[in-house]
Amino acid sequence: MSTPVEIVLIVAAVGYVLIRRLAGDVAEAKRMLLLPAILAVIGLSNVDESVASATAVAFLVGTLAVSVLFGVLRGASIRIYQQDGVAHMRYTWLTIALWVLNVAAKVGANLLLGLITGVASGGNSVMLTIGVGMLVEGVVVLARAVRTDSRIVWKKGEDGKAHTTSPFLDDLQARMTRR
């Protein structure tokens, strides 16, 4: 089971992302890809021995599939717009609703698993499923953004410095926007 500190950190991180993206921000590829991937890897390393039974593994795979589905839906619901020639993204109220449903589905699945197996946790898989869902969301947003004329940034510039771009994303965008 996740410790209270882990739960607070997860809630704080998700809350920060929700508030920041609801306000609108640069569609920063590094933040949309690397950070969720790291979160997923840490989450995978936290999956414990309570996921030893076939039922628990099935629930983990099922909640991962649900997180992937919600990641795709959230990625499709995000508004992508151009500001100063750069792609920006903004969560919509639908995106927030999809987050709430995703978390409710994970909590419900963990409760159901506890009723079926008598094990009270989902094997510490919350961080894994959130990371995977956010990674899929980021991939969907970037896939949509590369089809626009807006510049895709790898890392947002700090303190007035220029944004860092990615030759790979620039090339992909050039190939995707050719008509």
Side-chain angles (χ1 to χ4, degrees):
M1 180 182 267
S2 297
T3 67
V5 172
E6 287 175 328
I7 292 170
V8 168
L9 289 175
I10 290 169
V11 169
V14 170
Y16 174 77
V17 168
L18 291 176
I19 290 168
R20 187 177 177 113
R21 290 185 179 173
L22 190 57
D25 200 10
V26 172
E28 186 178 358
K30 181 178 181 180
R31 203 173 267 177
M32 287 190 287
L33 298 176
L34 289 183
L35 297 178
I38 291 168
L39 187 65
V41 168
I42 292 170
L44 184 60
S45 70
N46 285 341
V47 174
D48 61 22
E49 63 278 350
S50 67
V51 185
S53 72
T55 304
V57 170
F59 268 82
L60 178 59
V61 170
T63 57
L64 280 170
V66 168
S67 289
V68 167
L69 174 64
F70 275 111
V72 169
L73 294 173
R74 284 193 317 267
S77 73
I78 292 170
R79 181 174 170 250
I80 299 173
Y81 61 99
Q82 186 180 91
Q83 186 174 323
D84 300 325
V86 175
H88 282 64
M89 60 186 277
R90 179 175 292 135
Y91 274 10
T92 63
W93 290 106
L94 176 59
T95 313
I96 301 298
L98 290 167
W99 261 111
V100 169
L101 290 172
N102 191 177
V103 170
K106 176 62 180 168
V107 169
N110 283 357
L111 290 174
L112 182 59
L113 177 61
L115 290 173
I116 293 171
T117 65
V119 177
S121 82
N124 283 343
S125 61
V126 173
M127 197 178 304
L128 172 63
T129 55
I130 287 175
V132 168
M134 288 178 72
L135 181 61
V136 170
E137 173 188 308
V139 168
V140 171
V141 169
L142 285 174
R144 292 177 53 219
V146 297
R147 289 176 172 79
T148 70
D149 293 329
S150 302
R151 185 74 189 243
I152 309 294
V153 300
W154 175 250
K155 184 176 184 315
K156 188 166 71 170
E158 297 175 10
D159 300 325
K161 294 182 182 174
H163 300 310
T164 305
T165 58
S166 162
F168 172 76
L169 288 173
D170 290 345
D171 181 56
L172 182 63
Q173 186 172 31
R175 284 188 276 134
M176 297 301 279
T177 56
R178 282 188 205 139
R179 299 200 193 334

